[in-house]
Amino acid sequence: MNFRLIKALRIIACLIPAALAGTTAAIAAEAECSGCLCPGNPCRLCPLPPSKNAPAMQDEPDACRKIREKVPLVSANTDPDEHYASLDKSIMECVRNGGDVVMNSRRNKEFPSKHYCKPYLAPGASSATANSSRTKK
C-alpha cells in the first residue's frame, strides 16, 4: 500500500513542474507577441474574403473598404466555388490597392480567417493619405 502511495507521489511531483512550465511559456509567448497577428490587430488587417458576419472596423483602411465594396461578401453557407472566387478577387483587390496578403496558420477568436490583407500604412499618416501616395499617376 505504501509503495503505491510513494509511486503516485513521484508521478505527481514530476507533473507539477511540467504543468507550471507549460503555462508560463504560454503566457510569455502571448506577452512577447510580435508581428501583425497579435492581440489588438496592430497592422489593421482585414479578412479575405470579406465576411458577412464580420463587422467593419472603426477607421477602416482604404484598401479594406475598397475590398468590401468590390468583392461579394461570403458566409459559412457560401458555396465553395463562390468562396474561392471571392477569395481570388479579394486578394487581387488587396494587392491592387497597395496591400500585402498575410496567411494565418494559427487561427484564433481574434483572427479566424486563413488570409488577411495588410494595408499599406505610412508611419504617422492616415490611411487615406498613405494609399493616395502609392497610386500610379
Side-chain angles (χ1 to χ4, degrees):
M1 182 92 149
N2 288 336
F3 181 69
R4 288 184 185 171
L5 180 61
I6 292 171
K7 189 175 181 180
L9 286 175
R10 284 183 182 170
I11 292 172
I12 291 172
C14 291
L15 293 177
I16 290 174
L20 289 175
T23 56
T24 55
I27 292 170
E30 285 184 25
E32 296 174 2
C33 182
S34 62
C36 290
L37 294 169
C38 289
N41 197 3
C43 296
R44 299 173 63 197
L45 302 175
C46 50
L48 300 177
S51 177
K52 289 179 183 177
N53 60 356
M57 293 185 291
Q58 293 177 346
D59 193 28
E60 185 175 38
D62 286 343
C64 297
R65 182 181 45 78
K66 289 177 182 177
I67 292 169
R68 289 178 67 85
E69 288 173 357
K70 294 184 179 182
V71 178
L73 303 178
V74 298
S75 69
N77 300 328
T78 303
D79 180 55
D81 291 337
E82 292 176 26
H83 173 83
Y84 288 113
S86 183
L87 175 63
D88 289 343
K89 289 177 187 174
S90 61
I91 288 173
M92 286 188 292
E93 282 300 318
C94 175
V95 173
R96 186 176 291 147
N97 288 293
D100 293 323
V101 177
V102 176
M103 290 195 62
N104 179 18
S105 60
R106 296 184 182 179
R107 299 182 196 180
N108 58 32
K109 279 186 178 180
E110 191 170 5
F111 298 102
S113 294
K114 188 173 182 179
H115 300 90
Y116 285 89
C117 180
K118 177 186 173 189
Y120 172 76
L121 300 172
S126 70
S127 60
T129 309
N131 287 335
S132 65
S133 66
R134 289 184 45 112
T135 56
K136 294 181 181 179
K137 293 180 181 179

